[in-house]
């Protein structure tokens, strides 16, 4: 690919964004940036420090004092908070169910978006999140909105947990995903919404490699 375009991938929880985005980035030798991990990292630190997760100014103060580093690992992206590896901790139940409170604080979003724009400054980035096409990289050459039915997303999460040997309750997972969707789409600041010029791919009945191939084809056309 001769032009280092930026690719924005948005969509609800469990639509396959991170798996797909990482594979697209690997294929193009682009940098993969998981912006959800940045909100999770701050949530993790706020919980550790017992900070009110709905106090925007206080969370912003905490963020100003926090270095979030995303590194390329062997099989996954490594997430470091103040040089500490929190890759596993940020996927905990507590973080997952509280991150949308932190992510809806405007003070927090403003700073996160600033950091994310800087990371994509030189192009060659595949970035996934909720507001990438609409707010972080509105000028990106390719915007994709991944969707899938809530049942399918819950099934994927359920299978992932069972596959890891973790106990899981399908109905509870489905309710939690639906609740997170609601909080992410109904929040006032930068809600989850498809950008007008994004291409929507409904992944409900697609395999990961089919989705990846479709995005690579689109990237080729845009470059
Ligand atoms: O993609 P994820 O599940 O790791 O995202 C965690 C939370 O962060 C999710 O509830 C929505 C929020 N988020 C956001 O508001 N904006 C982004 N660009 C990425 C994630």
């Amino acid at each position: 690919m001769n032009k280092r375009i930026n690719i924005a991938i948005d969509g609800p929880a469990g639509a396959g964004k991170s798996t797909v985005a990482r594979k697209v980035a690997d294929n193009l030798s682009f940098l993969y940036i998981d912006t959800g991990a940045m909100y999770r990292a701050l949530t993790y630190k706020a919980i550790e420090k017992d900070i009110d997760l709905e106090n925007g100014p206080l969370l912003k103060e905490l963020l100003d004092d926090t270095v979030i580093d995303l590194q390329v690992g062997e099989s996954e992206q490594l997430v470091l908070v103040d040089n500490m590896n929190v890759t596993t901790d940020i996927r905990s139940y507590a973080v997952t169910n509280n991150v949308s409170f932190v992510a809806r604080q405007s003070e927090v979003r403003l700073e996160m978006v600033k950091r994310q724009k800087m990371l994509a400054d030189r192009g060659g980035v595949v970035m996934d999140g909720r507001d990438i096409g609409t707010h972080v990289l509105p000028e990106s050459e390719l915007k994709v909105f991944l969707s899938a039915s809530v049942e399918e997303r819950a099934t994927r999460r359920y299978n992932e947990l069972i596959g890891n040997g973790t106990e899981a309750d399908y109905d509870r997972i489905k309710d939690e995903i639906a609740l997170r969707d609601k909080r992410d789409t109904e929040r006032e600041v930068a809600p989850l919404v498809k950008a007008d010029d994004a291409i929507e791919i409904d992944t409900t009945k697609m395999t990961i490699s089919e989705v990846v191939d479709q995005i690579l084809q689109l990237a080729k056309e845009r470059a």
Side-chain angles (χ1 to χ4, degrees), residues 10-215:
D10 290 299
K17 296 185 301 293
S18 54
T19 309
V20 165
R22 189 194 340 271
K23 284 181 187 285
V24 169
D26 277 354
N27 196 287
L28 299 172
S29 297
F30 278 18
L31 181 65
Y32 164 56
I33 298 167
D34 171 1
T35 62
M38 298 172 73
Y39 290 96
R40 285 173 180 270
L42 178 64
T43 306
Y44 168 78
K45 187 167 171 181
I47 293 173
E48 287 288 290
K49 294 204 169 287
D50 210 11
I51 285 175
D52 176 3
L53 301 179
E54 301 217 57
N55 186 329
L58 215 56
L59 288 165
K60 165 69 167 63
E61 218 172 275
L62 182 70
L63 182 55
D64 284 343
D65 203 28
T66 303
V67 179
I68 302 173
D69 198 10
L70 305 178
Q71 293 184 1
V72 182
E74 287 263 309
S75 60
E76 58 180 356
Q77 176 191 250
L78 298 179
V79 183
L80 281 80
V81 168
D82 304 327
N83 268 329
M84 212 175 66
N85 186 344
V86 295
T87 311
T88 311
D89 307 271
I90 63 163
R91 306 283 158 198
S92 72
Y93 193 71
V95 172
T96 300
N97 284 326
N98 283 298
V99 59
S100 46
F101 295 111
V102 172
R104 71 180 182 201
Q105 308 304 321
S106 56
E107 297 88 345
V108 168
R109 297 205 73 85
L110 215 63
E111 172 62 20
M112 288 293 194
V113 170
K114 201 163 99 191
R115 293 186 188 193
Q116 290 155 5
K117 278 181 192 283
M118 262 160 55
L119 289 170
D121 211 21
R122 285 184 291 162
V125 156
V126 181
M127 191 177 276
D128 83 8
R130 303 292 192 287
D131 61 337
I132 311 305
T134 50
H135 286 89
V136 183
L137 305 175
E139 309 295 328
S140 53
E141 289 82 353
L142 174 59
K143 299 179 188 177
V144 174
F145 192 88
L146 291 187
S147 61
S149 70
V150 69
E151 289 78 14
E152 172 65 19
R153 291 184 283 133
T155 302
R156 289 176 190 169
R157 180 73 185 134
Y158 175 84
N159 290 338
E160 189 184 319
L161 288 169
I162 296 293
N164 291 338
T166 313
E167 261 186 51
D169 176 336
Y170 173 81
D171 288 326
R172 182 167 168 190
I173 293 172
K174 195 176 112 186
D175 290 348
E176 283 167 0
I177 288 183
L179 186 65
R180 206 138 67 90
D181 283 355
K182 187 170 153 58
R183 285 197 208 121
D184 291 342
T185 48
E186 290 181 359
R187 70 172 174 232
E188 275 177 37
V189 199
L192 168 65
V193 61
K194 176 185 157 307
D196 289 339
D197 52 350
I199 293 170
E200 179 160 0
I201 303 177
D202 181 348
T203 71
T204 307
K205 295 198 170 77
M206 291 173 80
T207 64
I208 289 167
S209 62
E210 283 171 342
V211 181
V212 171
D213 287 348
Q214 191 171 337
I215 297 176

